DNA sequence: TCGTGTTATTGACACAGTCCAGAATTGGAA
DNA sequence: TTCCAATTCTGGACTGTGTCAATAACACGA
């Protein structure tokens, strides 16, 4: 009896007590294959793959996957939310001001960059999010 | 002839070639008095102060003030845009996950924190934005 | 005070995302 | 295998921010 790899999407869902459905697997596959897609892009990909899916199902699925930590939601300003399956590591993002493209970056400062603000104003801080802004290679050429 | 202080709102607008209007002065005053307000809050404050103002005028004014660098627009996820008049210094923000309250923080790492990502993927980066997430004092108590 | 270019008003519209209620599907018990 | 309760999906209406376009009003220099 072959031992299944832990990151098998089916096992992943089961481990979190979630039912296994075609839609969920398709959403997981889409997010995994092409990180930083928008909900709309994911909806299109899933529909292409399994024929039909409602927008609501996509949003619900993304929400429940996010809540269970299987995927991560990032929301740059002036852009719809984007999703990625790279979780459990402390990485950040660089966003193109022109086309909205997103890429992963690791911060050079360390594994927990800037987690210590000078004054925390009584806030209990649980996350530091770093967003780099600039122009992607394509948009530099287009100038 | 007394020399006017440079940060006089009227002079500020003139310096940037912008006409001086009651609405603009009221918007500047609102943003200055209570930083991190939303456009909606600002609209209410301005309306209270000068009687009547259209939503569009508020948005236009905020846009033109932002474009000229008189105010700064910050846009936390799951929250409408907020505005502040503290510009020209490299500070960041801490946002309450519960109520959306925003406070200024200076990063302890240095004046230009995390500006050097490990891999920039060909992007030309012009800004690094740091957002801290947590709970504000009031919302800690409410738990 | 007048003329011109800028700014404000009004109302329609766009977009991302959410809510709701009923229908369908699923996992697990028998 | 069949059935039940819980979960999930569907379709449509709806919200909240924000933008566009056309017209009216205003600010400011001459």
């Amino acid at each position: 009896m072959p031992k299944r790899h832990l990151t098998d999407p089916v096992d992943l869902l089961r481990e979190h007590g979630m039912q296994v459905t075609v839609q969920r697997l398709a959403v997981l596959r889409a997010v995994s294959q092409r990180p930083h897609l928008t909900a709309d892009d994911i909806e299109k990909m899933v529909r292409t793959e399994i024929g039909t899916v409602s927008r609501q199902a996509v949003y619900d699925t993304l929400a429940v996957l996010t809540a269970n930590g299987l995927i991560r939601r990032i929301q740059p300003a002036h852009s719809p939310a984007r999703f990625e399956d790279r979780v459990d590591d402390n990485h950040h993002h660089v966003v193109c001001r022109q086309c909205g493209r997103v890429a992963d970056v690791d911060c050079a400062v360390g594994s927990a960059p800037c987690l210590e603000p000078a004054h925390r104003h009584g806030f209990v801080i649980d996350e530091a999010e770093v967003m780099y802004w600039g122009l992607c290679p394509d948009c530099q050429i287009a100038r």
Side-chain angles (χ1 to χ4, degrees), chain A residues 64-80:
Chain A
V64 81
L65 291 176
T66 304
N68 282 280
L70 273 66
I71 63 176
R72 187 174 155 201
R73 174 194 183 120
I74 57 179
Q75 186 148 359
H78 316 116
S79 162

Side-chain angles (χ1 to χ4, degrees), chain A residues 1-49:
Chain A
M1 174 177 172
K3 186 191 172 198
R4 271 182 147 166
H5 193 283
L6 271 180
T7 54
D8 181 340
V10 175
D11 287 345
L12 257 184
L13 292 172
R14 291 237 169 86
E15 276 168 27
H16 289 86
M18 305 165 63
Q19 290 192 10
V20 179
T21 67
V22 218
Q23 278 94 336
R24 290 188 170 175
L25 291 174
V27 167
L28 270 179
R29 210 153 28 229
V31 172
S32 170
Q33 281 172 10
R34 301 183 48 193
H36 310 135
L37 288 185
T38 65
D40 193 62
D41 297 330
I42 293 168
E43 184 181 343
K44 290 198 182 77
M45 275 189 77
V46 171
R47 186 164 297 135
T48 302
E49 195 179 346

Side-chain angles (χ1 to χ4, degrees), chain A residues 46-62:
Chain A
V46 171
R47 186 164 297 135
T48 302
E49 195 179 346
I50 66 174
T52 175
V53 77
S54 69
R55 185 172 43 150
Q56 188 58 37
V58 173
Y59 275 104
D60 283 355
T61 304
L62 289 172

Side-chain angles (χ1 to χ4, degrees), chain A residues 61-111:
Chain A
T61 304
L62 289 172
V64 81
L65 291 176
T66 304
N68 282 280
L70 273 66
I71 63 176
R72 187 174 155 201
R73 174 194 183 120
I74 57 179
Q75 186 148 359
H78 316 116
S79 162
R82 289 155 186 277
F83 299 86
E84 64 183 355
D85 67 341
R86 194 176 151 194
V87 289
D88 296 330
D89 69 342
N90 184 22
H91 76 277
H92 300 298
H93 299 98
V94 52
V95 186
C96 179
R97 288 189 191 278
Q98 195 83 25
C99 68
R101 195 180 132 196
V102 175
D104 290 336
V105 295
D106 298 293
C107 185
V109 174
S111 59

